């Protein structure tokens, strides 16, 4: 049976380093044992804004429109817009999801954040009972693969941009882990626009090597949901404080290798 891969890609230029990284992944996953789909968000002119237009027909409460609740009802009624349901179909089939993008303002580009806002629909990608370690996508793996504008040292614990581990927490924990994904260590291409051609080539070759074993990589470790006390507002249970890592890490010293530390 073929292994399925979804690449969610956000860059405006086919000549970009991000496009090259995406193409390396397409090349690796063109092997017969894989089936790969690409959501090229700019080429699709994907709508980034989460609005009532995402619902076919009337909404429940037009005066006090609440997007998550209204789209959950629309999902149940089969009234979500076609562009969302098409992405649901791709995501449901995927065993691995690669998010390929340039980091904008320490986060996703708006069009990719829009994909997350709209496609990770309440009732489809998460619910009150199905999140974190008990999440909907616990059998799927996901990875952030992105370029930076700044050099690696600038994202160190003593760097002017602050620790990259902190930057990635909302994305890796608050989105991917929240939906249950097994989160792989990120693939970070440090400032390729400032790198000489031979270094850019080396970055892409390391990515190629990593991709070949990506589905067999162990994911990062996150504290399971049942370690938190629901009755006390989901705080860590006192008896488990010593079990939680005091300084979690998301990064490998060499993102081109295939061995990654747990956080």
């Amino acid at each position: 049976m073929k292994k399925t891969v979804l690449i969610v890609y956000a860059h405006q230029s086919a000549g970009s380093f991000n496009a090259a990284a995406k193409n390396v992944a397409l090349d690796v996953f063109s092997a017969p044992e894989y089936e790969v789909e690409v959501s090229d968000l700019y080429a699709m002119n994907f709508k980034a804004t989460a609005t009532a237009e995402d619902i076919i027909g009337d909404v429940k409460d037009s005066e006090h429109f609440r997007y998550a609740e209204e789209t959950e009802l629309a999902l149940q009624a089969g009234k979500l817009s076609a562009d969302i349901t098409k992405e649901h179909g791709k995501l449901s089939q995927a065993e691995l999801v690669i998010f390929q993008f340039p980091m904008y303002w320490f986060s996703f580009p708006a069009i990719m954040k829009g994909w997350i806002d709209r496609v990770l629909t309440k009732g489809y990608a998460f619910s009150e009972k199905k999140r974190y370690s008990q999440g909907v996508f616990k059998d799927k793996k996901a990875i952030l693969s992105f370029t930076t504008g700044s050099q690696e040292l600038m994202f160190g614990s003593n760097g002017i941009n602050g620790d990259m581990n902190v930057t990635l927490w909302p994305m890796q924990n608050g989105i991917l882990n929240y939906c249950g994904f097994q989160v792989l260590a990120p693939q970070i291409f440090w400032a390729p626009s400032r790198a000489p051609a031979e270094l850019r080539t080396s970055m892409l070759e390391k990515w190629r090597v990593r991709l070949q074993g990506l589905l067999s990589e162990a994911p990062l470790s996150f504290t399971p949901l049942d370690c938190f006390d629901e009755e006390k507002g989901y705080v860590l249970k006192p008896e488990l404080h010593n079990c939680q890592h005091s300084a979690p890490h998301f990064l490998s010293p060499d993102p081109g290798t295939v061995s990654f530390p747990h956080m």
Side-chain angles (χ1 to χ4, degrees):
M1 189 172 181
K2 290 188 176 183
K3 299 173 183 177
T4 53
V5 180
L6 171 61
I7 303 173
V8 184
Y9 166 68
H11 201 286
Q12 306 92 329
S13 173
S16 66
F17 188 93
N18 273 275
K22 178 259 296 177
N23 290 338
V24 168
L26 275 174
D27 186 47
V28 169
F29 294 124
S30 67
E33 64 267 30
Y34 297 106
E35 184 171 337
V36 60
E37 287 225 50
V38 179
S39 289
D40 185 340
L41 301 183
Y42 286 105
M44 293 160 58
N45 196 27
F46 190 80
K47 184 171 82 75
T49 53
T51 69
E53 294 174 358
D54 295 342
I55 298 164
I56 300 168
D58 295 333
V59 300
K60 181 180 178 181
D61 187 349
S62 58
E63 291 187 8
H64 180 43
F65 180 76
R66 295 184 296 176
Y67 186 82
E69 289 72 14
E70 293 283 3
T71 50
E72 182 179 23
L73 291 172
L75 173 70
Q76 295 166 357
K79 294 182 177 181
L80 278 178
S81 62
D83 61 340
I84 295 177
T85 57
K86 185 175 182 179
E87 296 305 297
H88 282 179
K90 296 177 189 177
L91 184 52
S92 293
Q93 293 298 316
E95 298 173 53
L96 169 67
V97 183
I98 300 172
F99 293 89
Q100 183 65 58
F101 61 97
M103 180 170 275
Y104 282 5
W105 289 107
F106 302 89
S107 186
F108 300 105
I111 199 167
M112 182 171 281
K113 181 56 166 59
W115 187 96
I116 290 164
D117 290 347
R118 299 178 66 227
V119 175
L120 300 184
T121 312
K122 185 179 181 183
Y124 167 72
F126 69 95
S127 69
E128 293 296 325
K129 297 297 182 183
K130 293 183 178 180
R131 52 184 177 152
Y132 292 116
S133 57
Q134 298 172 17
V136 173
F137 299 142
K138 61 186 178 182
D139 295 326
K140 301 179 185 294
K141 292 185 175 182
I143 181 173
L144 303 180
S145 174
F146 61 93
T147 57
T148 68
S150 300
Q151 302 288 354
E152 183 174 4
L153 286 175
M154 296 172 71
F155 277 105
S157 57
N158 296 322
I160 191 170
N161 290 338
D163 192 335
M164 180 61 89
N165 295 301
V166 177
T167 298
L168 293 180
W169 178 255
M171 293 181 270
Q172 294 193 139
N173 179 69
I175 298 171
L176 300 182
N177 182 46
Y178 187 89
C179 291
F181 283 109
Q182 299 172 46
V183 185
L184 301 178
Q187 182 72 24
I188 306 177
F189 300 103
W190 301 102
S193 64
R194 301 171 185 267
E198 60 270 22
L199 181 54
R200 293 196 300 272
T201 299
S202 176
M203 289 178 181
L204 292 172
E205 284 307 307
K206 287 182 177 181
W207 179 222
R208 181 182 298 276
V209 170
R210 186 182 178 192
L211 282 163
Q212 291 167 358
L214 198 61
L215 276 164
S216 63
E217 281 187 17
L220 300 169
S221 297
F222 294 85
T223 307
L225 184 63
D226 58 10
C227 291
F228 296 88
D229 191 328
E230 181 178 357
E231 293 184 358
K232 294 183 179 179
Y234 286 102
V235 295
L236 193 68
K237 294 175 181 177
E239 65 270 23
L240 297 174
H241 275 290
N242 292 334
C243 298
Q244 189 181 46
H245 294 290
S246 58
H249 291 282
F250 297 82
L251 310 180
S252 165
D254 179 1
T257 66
V258 295
S259 178
F260 297 87
H262 284 191
M263 49 174 283

